[in-house]
Amino acid sequence: MTRSRLAPLLSAAPLALVLALPPSSGAVAQPAPNRVLRVAPHADLKTLDPVFASIVITRMHGLMVYETLFAWDSKLQPHPQMVESFSTAPDNLAWTFRLREGLRFHDGQPVTSKDVIASLKRWMARDTVGGKLAEYTAALEAQDDRTFTLRLKKPTGMVPFALGSAVGQIPAIMRESDATTDPMKPVQNTIGSGPFLFNRAEWRSGARVVYDRNPDYKPRGEPADGLAGGRVVKLDRVEWTIMPDAATAAAALQAGEIDIWEQPSQDLIPVISRGRDIKVERYSSLDNQVMLRPNHLHPPFNDPRARLALAYATDQADFLAAGFGDEQWWKRCASYFVCGSPNGTDAGTEGYAKPNLETARKLLAESGYKGETMVITSSYDIAPIGRMAEVAAEALKKIGMKVDLQFADWGTVTTRQQNRAAPDQGGWNLFVTTASGPTMQSPITNIGTNMSCDRAWAGWPCDAEAEKLRNAVVEAVDDESRRAATEALHRRLAEVQPYRVLGQYTQPYARRANVSGVLNAPVMVFWNIEKK
């Protein structure tokens, strides 16, 4: 660590310049300090629509404001959330759901079947899980204001799991007027039915995001478990303070100016852990995954040989050490579906278990690469991603590629990821990113292994055989056939390389000792939390 980064930690200087914000024109008396949770999130909030963007910060925001029909517990099992009851037809081709009584949007309107149907259709047009469910869907029909039916073309057991998805673009239930807008454009309204209200008046891009407790929200009666059960809010307000500099966030936590640091930098964990009033813990039981994502639309990575060259050119340890420091926080893993998960397998990856630059150069030449400049887009707002992008640039240079590494703020990077234009016209060739273990552990939810062409996530991989094999996983009727189908899919993925798996890492969070109730969930959520 440099002296300039360490200085704020030693002084624990006040953060007046960071935290001082102009009051909103409609400012009211502030809640008592023990009723306000102050959080340093891992990134700034740029996109408010959790059905449009799959990035984690937008998903965290979405789970504050919106609800889903089902919700995953701490073991990633689905439970009814907005749904009161449901039934299936004897042939499993019709699923009928009834909404809980009293569900209301933040503007006071009741949540109806029409809102649900419009929301699900929009989600199916955007998300990996939603797109897969759409392939099996024959119709969505409203029976009355609180009852609707999902009719299937053929049976699948993924329905509750999909409707409770907490990864990718979540199936957030919006007002019909919002959900019927163009799914290729983000909704600008933030009217959900969830336990928090988005305080737009106090939102300061790049500085602060504020959520107030929804006084009209009625939680379920079950105990909270992951995202499932009763979403009981025990605070009046949650404030996200944007602190892209890790040393600044660490100093704020030590000084008690923030209560939670959502993703502390691993190299600073030994420093903050010395404090008696600070606890460093995990909030997800699965490791996260690192990936190098190529753009499949443009040369050379429209050719699988060039993508395979990335696997032979890269050493996972180089990336993970640069991103996460001490090896206690990371490990090599070639599985697209996360080592240590029920679906973890490295089938088909044996050939590139160790780097081979000669093979990488040969594959790159066979792909037709002619010296074009490769645009890598990245950000230091999330420091490990920025550092790993530098490693990627050096690895590509070693196999003869010309590289242009471009840095911007994270919001700009994620917006650019949606740009399908050629790299020299505002598009891109590669980026490094991370994804949660709960997202990547299943062939159904793994956003990177969706190879359905235009319906795929940024990078737009396209492979009919991989999609056929993924369907076999979805349709498997027992654990043995599901495992066999998953291994067959993984072997195909190892050949066509939708992205280069760069290993996995543990991401803890840090909290003040007077904060309790953080739930084991796919992303950090802020109900159930108390501050004494």
Side-chain angles (χ1 to χ4, degrees), residues 230-274:
R231 298 181 176 183
V232 179
V233 177
K234 302 177 181 180
L235 305 157
D236 290 326
R237 171 173 285 202
V238 177
E239 298 176 356
W240 293 356
T241 301
I242 311 306
M243 297 182 179
D245 179 70
T248 301
L253 184 69
Q254 290 174 314
E257 293 167 329
I258 59 173
D259 305 302
I260 291 178
W261 186 6
E262 185 227 345
Q263 291 190 16
S265 176
Q266 266 83 354
D267 59 344
L268 296 182
I269 287 174
V271 178
I272 61 176
S273 295
R274 295 184 197 131

Side-chain angles (χ1 to χ4, degrees), residues 408-420:
D409 65 88
W410 184 238
T412 298
V413 170
T414 57
T415 299
R416 186 174 182 179
Q417 287 171 4
Q418 306 301 318
N419 191 334
R420 302 188 184 208

Side-chain angles (χ1 to χ4, degrees), residues 282-438:
R282 295 182 63 153
Y283 61 83
S284 177
S285 55
L286 282 179
D287 285 346
N288 299 318
Q289 189 180 84
V290 185
M291 69 174 80
L292 177 60
R293 181 70 161 186
N295 189 331
H296 295 236
L297 297 182
H298 304 289
F301 299 118
N302 59 340
D303 189 304
R305 291 169 293 189
R307 302 194 298 269
L308 190 57
L310 296 177
Y312 281 98
T314 49
D315 187 331
Q316 291 184 343
D318 293 341
F319 287 84
L320 296 167
F324 306 104
D326 195 291
E327 195 169 353
Q328 68 173 310
W329 299 112
W330 56 264
K331 63 183 178 184
R332 296 173 185 266
C333 172
S335 177
Y336 282 99
F337 304 129
V338 183
C339 296
S341 81
N343 300 301
T345 174
D346 60 1
T349 68
E350 298 82 3
Y352 52 81
K354 295 182 179 179
N356 187 320
L357 299 186
E358 182 179 347
T359 300
R361 295 185 188 104
K362 179 175 180 292
L363 287 165
L364 188 61
E366 291 174 355
S367 74
Y369 176 67
K370 296 180 174 62
E372 301 94 334
T373 298
M374 296 293 100
V375 174
I376 303 177
T377 178
S378 193
S379 175
Y380 277 116
D381 286 359
I382 306 175
I385 287 177
R387 295 196 293 265
M388 289 187 290
E390 292 185 344
V391 176
E394 291 306 310
L396 266 61
K397 290 175 184 177
K398 289 179 181 178
I399 61 171
M401 299 190 102
K402 186 177 179 182
V403 178
D404 181 9
L405 179 55
Q406 301 179 6
F407 287 96
D409 65 88
W410 184 238
T412 298
V413 170
T414 57
T415 299
R416 186 174 182 179
Q417 287 171 4
Q418 306 301 318
N419 191 334
R420 302 188 184 208
D424 61 355
Q425 297 176 14
W428 53 276
N429 291 106
L430 293 153
F431 64 83
V432 176
T433 193
T434 62
S436 71

